[in-house]
Amino acid sequence: MCGRYASSRRPEDLVDVFGIERWEPEETLAPDWNVAPTKEVYVVLDRPLKDAGDPRPVRQLRTVRWGLVPSWAENPDGAARMINARCETLHEKPSFRRPFAQRRCIVPADGYYEWVTGTDERQLEVEGKKKRPRKQPYFVTPADGSVFAMAGIYEFWRDRTLPDAHPQAWWVTCSVITTEAETTPLGIAPAEGPGSLAEIHPRMPLMLTPDRWDAWLDPIDTDVAGLRGLLTPPPGGLMRAYPVATAVSNVRNNGPELLAELAAPELGTLF
């Protein structure tokens, strides 16, 4: 799954990477090394410019809220539960099928966090000595240091309690698409630890390689059967994973130190 990630790149860098044609400087977000659900995040999308009179899709860097609110929802209360969409059922679920067909995006990140319950902690839980075992966080990121392009979908929701002119009358929200975690060896694996992403968690965000960006973002293509072909995971061996400090488990903590690689997991033996 993807419940927390890091996004520290400047908009100018993302413009270069994705070939952005339009972004608004006033939407610039501060670097965030602990992005949590319902926060404002960057997405890359192709869409005609509003009131431009030109139907041509324009590649934009936009700021949206993480946690999709379906257009038909009465209120946004369930957004925190809609941060992920499974690729296997994306085309079937009422909340996701229309955005999948019409409103696809890329959620750029440095990488994402995933938590593992250590062997010692699990044993204490089994023995009844600990009800809530501590978990060791790992940071998963492209092995070559490139931007982690997570497949996403976005949606518009109208808050009917507000007048049309109100700046919060329209919400734009997104969800990150997930797939089965890779079972192939990591591109760079820690000396002691997981050999594959599947050993950390059974799910992972769907990574889009650059050769799929244009097809994924194309709003003109609404052929669901064909689009499902883009949900195939990329070749294995592109990612690395390493243990980081448990400080990231507290969403109030934020800073580049959260990405510092530990020589060994804080919680002892994990695998």
Side-chain angles (χ1 to χ4, degrees):
M1 62 177 295
C2 179
R4 209 83 66 80
Y5 68 92
S7 177
S8 66
R9 284 178 167 82
R10 301 179 309 157
E12 294 85 353
D13 297 330
L14 298 176
V15 166
D16 291 339
V17 170
F18 292 103
I20 302 295
E21 300 175 75
R22 180 71 174 266
W23 71 282
E24 303 295 342
E26 59 267 25
E27 292 190 2
T28 299
L29 300 173
D32 195 337
W33 291 271
N34 203 352
V35 181
T38 72
K39 278 189 173 183
E40 296 289 314
V41 300
Y42 287 131
V43 298
V44 178
L45 56 87
D46 284 5
R47 186 177 178 85
L49 294 175
K50 186 178 181 181
D51 301 326
D54 184 353
R56 180 183 69 89
V58 174
R59 185 153 301 176
Q60 305 172 49
L61 182 66
R62 300 290 301 273
T63 300
V64 305
R65 189 173 304 197
W66 185 23
L68 190 138
V69 180
S71 60
W72 41 263
E74 293 184 3
N75 59 65
D77 293 349
R81 298 190 300 273
M82 306 282 274
I83 60 172
N84 293 158
R86 296 173 67 95
C87 70
E88 297 89 347
T89 56
L90 191 61
H91 63 293
E92 301 171 338
K93 298 295 185 181
S95 298
F96 301 136
R97 60 191 179 198
R98 189 167 70 172
F100 173 51
Q102 302 177 357
R103 287 181 280 279
R104 298 175 300 279
C105 64
I106 291 174
V107 184
D110 303 330
Y112 70 100
Y113 299 101
E114 198 56 81
W115 281 259
V116 177
T117 302
T119 302
D120 296 340
E121 292 282 315
R122 282 198 299 269
Q123 184 58 38
L124 290 174
E125 185 180 24
V126 169
E127 296 173 359
K129 298 178 180 179
K130 201 162 197 176
K131 293 184 178 179
R132 297 188 64 185
R134 292 188 302 159
K135 296 186 177 183
Q136 172 64 52
Y138 274 77
F139 187 63
V140 183
T141 186
D144 63 2
S146 60
V147 174
F148 185 39
M150 301 187 291
I153 53 176
Y154 68 99
E155 185 59 287
F156 295 94
W157 179 76
R158 174 69 166 88
D159 186 345
R160 299 297 177 185
T161 67
L162 299 174
D164 290 342
H166 195 284
Q168 299 298 320
W170 283 96
W171 289 34
V172 188
T173 60
C174 74
S175 183
V176 172
I177 297 173
T178 66
T179 186
E180 289 186 357
E182 296 175 0
T183 57
T184 51
L186 289 164
I188 301 176
E192 296 182 9
S196 70
L197 293 179
E199 292 181 33
I200 300 175
H201 194 278
R203 306 289 298 180
M204 66 176 288
L206 177 63
M207 176 183 180
L208 294 174
T209 49
D211 58 300
R212 295 188 180 185
W213 291 353
D214 289 346
W216 178 255
L217 295 175
D218 183 3
I220 297 174
D221 187 355
T222 59
D223 177 20
V224 171
L227 290 168
R228 291 185 67 192
L230 297 175
L231 298 174
T232 304
L238 299 180
M239 308 298 288
R240 66 175 301 223
Y242 59 84
V244 293
T246 53
V248 73
S249 301
N250 187 332
V251 72
R252 291 189 293 272
N253 294 329
N254 210 318
E257 67 278 1
L258 297 180
L259 299 189
E261 182 173 359
L262 300 182
E266 289 183 353
L267 304 186
T269 303
L270 296 173
F271 299 92

